[in-house]
Amino acid sequence: MTLKVIQWATGAVGKTCLRAVIDSPDLELAGLFVYGDRKAGRDAGDIARRDPTGVIATRDRAEILALPADVVLHAPRLQVPYETHDADICALLRSGKNVITTAGHHFPRAHGPEREEMFLAACREGGTTLYGTGISPGVIGERIVLALSGVCLDLEHLVIDEVLDASRVPDPGFAFDVMGMGSDPAAIDLAAGELPRLYGKLYAETLAFMAERMGLAIDRIEPDHHVEVTDHELRVAAGTIRAGTVAATEWRWHAVSAGRRVLTLAIIWTMDPAMPRYAGRDHWTVRVTGRPGLTMTLNLVEPNDPGSRTTAGQFVTAGPVIRAIPEIVAAPPGIFEPPVFAPYPFSRVSPAPPVPTAVPDVSPLPAGGPA
């Protein structure tokens, strides 16, 4: 059966999803929503660098809501505040269309029953399903690392360390406003500013999902953020980063249970991967202190295609979206939560004896420590 798909937004990830839909014999493009006047009125194939499709891009939300479709691939730019896209997602769900989004929203229960119920009510009204995914959040912690935890007899500390090159991010609004690159370091409030609030809400969902599946009671989440400043001007895809401004951000959280850090998640983006602090580091490193102790690394490989404008990061974010389409269409109404097989069960084991190894330092700090 061919599934009807609406693509919502055509930024770097959205355009990658759009091409995959057009290229798939099992999917039919039913509609295309765009945010900018430059794309409105153009054929989807023109936007995607494909043959004409007959589907014309629109900025009219009412037009999209009225279209019959099985699923909407919702891939707008993440924005401040985190709740920016709530109304659109709920309207799409109420209109009878399932939604797969890359803008977070994969575990609303992390923010309490009221937020979860808002989406559940929309799903009930439309008979639809909501699924938030991507590579991180979505796959690294929620699927790969939880599966890895299941090989341990005892687990003391689990650390996910992500270090990604952001220099190829093409969107100035995202790079400078949402990522905070090129900012005056003195103007970034790492404790209570809008950026730590945004990313704290987004990645709290990963930590909460992992903790719930592992039966881990979290007392609190401790933020531990840091920014790096460049000492020279950087020319990147989104523009210019002046010397003395932010060229890397480290968003790090520790989930504390029974007075100790058990889960640590670090999301590190750099506009200069040659910085000594980041040079040579893997894209993802997972370190487990326990029995057995484990280290796992994962790296992206850029396409070996000189004519391709699509990065490995765009492919790896769009892939989970496309793969999920038939599962989400077939799922019962509600918020879809990916199944996890046999993760480490904190709630069903006796307290582990001390592990005679130090907790790994996944982010070596220069003299003076973090800012």
Side-chain angles (χ1 to χ4, degrees), residues 21-252:
V21 171
I22 293 172
D23 293 346
S24 173
D26 301 319
L27 303 174
E28 176 187 343
L29 184 66
L32 176 60
F33 179 85
V34 295
Y35 285 95
D37 289 332
R38 185 173 57 86
K39 295 179 181 178
R42 292 169 58 188
D43 189 283
D46 179 39
I47 294 173
R49 301 196 304 276
R50 294 292 189 269
D51 293 335
T53 64
V55 175
I56 304 303
T58 181
R59 296 187 63 199
D60 188 338
R61 284 171 167 79
E63 181 180 339
I64 293 294
L65 291 174
L67 285 175
D70 295 294
V71 63
V72 177
L73 306 187
H74 179 260
R77 187 175 76 190
L78 190 66
Q79 292 184 352
V80 177
Y82 181 57
E83 297 81 8
T84 296
H85 300 295
D86 288 1
D88 284 335
I89 291 174
C90 287
L92 289 167
L93 292 168
R94 288 194 297 268
S95 75
K97 290 179 275 291
N98 300 294
V99 174
I100 302 174
T101 180
T102 60
H105 300 80
H106 68 290
F107 196 53
R109 186 154 66 251
H111 308 295
E114 183 176 343
R115 181 166 178 78
E116 181 183 37
E117 177 55 29
M118 176 179 68
F119 294 110
L120 287 174
C123 290
R124 287 194 297 269
E125 184 175 338
T128 51
T129 301
L130 169 64
Y131 181 44
T133 190
I135 186 65
S136 176
V139 171
I140 297 294
E142 293 86 344
R143 291 162 64 179
I144 295 176
V145 175
L146 278 177
L148 182 67
S149 75
V151 309
C152 294
L153 290 178
D154 298 318
L155 196 158
E156 287 290 303
H157 191 199
L158 193 158
V159 180
I160 302 172
D161 187 39
E162 174 181 308
V163 182
L164 293 181
D165 176 6
S167 64
R168 294 183 65 184
V169 171
D171 184 347
F174 185 74
F176 299 124
D177 298 336
V178 180
M179 299 185 83
M181 301 299 180
S183 301
D184 177 356
I188 295 184
D189 181 354
L190 293 177
E194 60 182 17
L195 292 184
R197 288 201 304 273
L198 169 68
Y199 293 114
K201 289 183 178 181
L202 175 65
Y203 288 102
E205 298 189 16
T206 293
L207 291 170
F209 183 89
M210 293 178 67
E212 184 177 291
R213 291 304 183 272
M214 300 169 83
L216 176 68
I218 295 180
D219 302 330
R220 64 186 182 278
I221 295 178
E222 295 178 346
D224 180 15
H225 306 319
H226 172 71
V227 297
E228 280 288 304
V229 173
T230 181
D231 61 3
H232 60 282
E233 184 175 280
L234 298 172
R235 300 291 180 90
V236 296
T240 301
I241 297 176
R242 301 187 317 276
T245 64
V246 172
T249 57
E250 300 185 11
W251 308 110
R252 183 178 288 103

